[in-house]
Amino acid sequence: MANGLRVAIMGATGAVGAELLALLDERSFPLKDLTLLASPRSAGTTLTFKGEAIPVQALGEGSFDGIDLVLASAGGSVSEEWLPKAVAAGAVCIDNSSAYRMDPSVPLVVPEVNPEAARTHQGIIANPNCTTILMALAVWPLHQVQPVQRLVVATYQSASGAGARAMEEVKQQARAILAGEEPVAEAFPYPLAFNLFPHNSPLNEQGYCQEEMKMVNETRKIFGADSLRISATCVRVPVLRAHSEAVNIEFAAPFSPQEAKALLAQAPGVRVVEDWARNYFPMPMEASGQDDVLVGRIRQDISNPNALELWLSGDQIRKGAALNAVQIAELLQVPQAVGVTH
């Protein structure tokens, strides 16, 4: 780590933190030094990076001294408290929480969609919600050819969206149910193993939950389309890792499935997975651990000649969180292309 940036991972011991570590290694990110930050209860533990044991430090005053880049995945309240301090210390922060996503002064970036937005940062760049990122990769290539008029999406969200503890809880619940015992729910309000329920984030007065409104508001901001009509229904399903989505895309005029498939086959960050003879399409089991969002079952909406249907699966921890953050950090290494102002 002799050359490169001095990087801090905030929330290093979580599921996304672990993935950030793996990606910095896999993608040979230019590192000069690496600092691992977490809550006081995790301080003193060690994590391995490139064969070296690195101690985890408690997040506190002075944590960002000398740091160039902060990759934050420690929750909204933690980001709100500490990222302004990191910026004041001279660091650029890429935040995986919802704290700054809808702040007009903070760019919300999916590198395959709106990399130019990164040039407007004032120290903080927001990473979108996982479901938003996955949908954006599949819809944006089509939107560029013919602007989307309306999106109707249903999500099938894995336990990984609630972190490592939730993933372990689903395993424990499955073992309990199979043993004839009562499953215990702590990470979620209800047992998720062998069950599903609408996303448990807070509901607004219109009956839409917070997760659904993230998809609405964030997609509009990323696409630069304030009037884009979007309706989402988000559901927790008993899958360990990788989210899936059923997306209905309405245009002003017909858009052939064949053209859509050809466009998506060339789109960055997307892999078309279709075998109609075998009824084989994207599955979360196969999307887990993959960088690409798997997209398939691209078909004409038989109820609307101007609409297409598609199905996708993508790794929530990887492209839906850690990979997108690292890709944003990589953008910042090309100032002549991105025009970083900080």
Side-chain angles (χ1 to χ4, degrees):
M1 295 190 290
N3 300 307
L5 299 178
R6 294 162 296 183
V7 177
I9 297 178
M10 195 172 87
T13 57
V16 175
E19 203 69 27
L20 285 167
L21 265 181
L23 285 162
L24 291 175
D25 187 2
E26 289 173 25
R27 298 174 74 88
S28 299
F29 189 84
L31 279 169
K32 182 177 182 180
D33 186 58
L34 181 61
T35 298
L36 304 181
L37 301 170
S39 64
R41 69 176 179 273
S42 297
T45 60
T46 60
L47 297 174
T48 302
F49 181 74
K50 292 186 180 293
E52 178 185 349
I54 301 177
V56 176
Q57 303 175 26
L59 178 63
E61 298 297 333
S63 289
F64 305 108
D65 292 348
I67 296 296
D68 300 311
L69 174 69
V70 177
L71 299 173
S73 187
S77 60
V78 178
S79 288
E80 287 175 349
E81 179 180 359
W82 290 101
L83 293 194
K85 298 177 182 179
V87 173
V92 174
C93 304
I94 300 171
D95 184 30
N96 196 58
S97 81
S98 61
Y100 295 98
R101 288 176 186 157
M102 298 314 298
D103 185 325
S105 67
V106 175
L108 185 64
V109 178
V110 178
E112 296 89 344
V113 176
N114 63 335
E116 72 286 347
R119 69 166 55 95
T120 66
H121 84 79
Q122 300 173 33
I124 298 175
I125 300 173
N127 210 31
N129 190 47
C130 50
T131 49
T132 303
I133 292 172
L134 303 181
M135 182 174 71
L137 259 67
V139 174
W140 179 251
L142 311 181
H143 181 71
Q144 288 183 291
V145 173
Q146 189 178 156
V148 172
Q149 304 292 302
R150 183 172 184 242
L151 291 168
V152 180
V153 57
T155 71
Y156 304 78
Q157 296 181 221
S158 64
S160 65
R165 186 168 70 93
M167 295 169 71
E168 184 58 35
E169 179 172 292
V170 173
K171 295 179 187 178
Q172 293 172 357
Q173 289 172 351
R175 286 192 286 266
I177 291 170
L178 291 172
E181 301 169 358
E182 193 71 22
V184 175
E186 294 177 348
F188 294 116
Y190 316 107
L192 186 57
F194 303 105
N195 192 27
L196 58 80
F197 45 81
H199 198 282
N200 52 293
S201 54
L203 296 167
N204 67 13
E205 65 280 359
Q206 296 169 301
Y208 281 76
C209 72
Q210 191 176 77
E211 185 81 358
E212 291 158 354
M213 294 311 299
K214 287 177 184 177
M215 297 193 76
V216 173
N217 296 324
E218 293 177 19
T219 302
R220 287 172 174 167
K221 182 174 178 178
I222 295 163
F223 281 25
D226 292 342
S227 61
L228 179 58
R229 293 176 292 151
I230 307 172
S231 181
T233 301
C234 294
V235 181
R236 287 285 189 201
V237 295
V239 171
L240 281 182
R241 179 163 172 162
H243 294 350
S244 299
E245 302 180 17
V247 188
N248 181 279
I249 312 167
E250 183 179 332
F251 306 91
F255 199 131
S256 81
Q258 293 75 24
E259 182 184 4
K261 180 177 179 179
L263 289 166
L264 289 168
Q266 300 298 317
V270 170
R271 177 154 56 92
V272 174
V273 175
E274 287 191 337
D275 186 335
W276 291 86
R278 292 196 299 139
N279 200 12
Y280 171 71
F281 303 106
M283 292 180 280
M285 184 176 291
E286 295 188 352
S288 294
Q290 301 299 307
D291 288 350
D292 289 339
V293 175
L294 310 184
V295 179
R297 210 170 178 225
I298 304 159
R299 64 198 188 279
Q300 175 68 53
D301 177 352
I302 58 173
S303 72
N304 184 345
N306 296 342
L308 295 176
E309 299 267 8
L310 61 79
W311 170 257
L312 65 83
S313 293
D315 190 320
Q316 176 275 335
I317 300 176
R318 206 163 175 96
K319 181 54 185 173
L323 175 60
N324 201 75
V326 173
Q327 287 176 311
I328 294 171
E330 291 169 344
L331 279 179
L332 302 182
Q333 305 311 301
V334 192
Q336 68 272 22
V338 181
V340 174
T341 58
H342 182 69

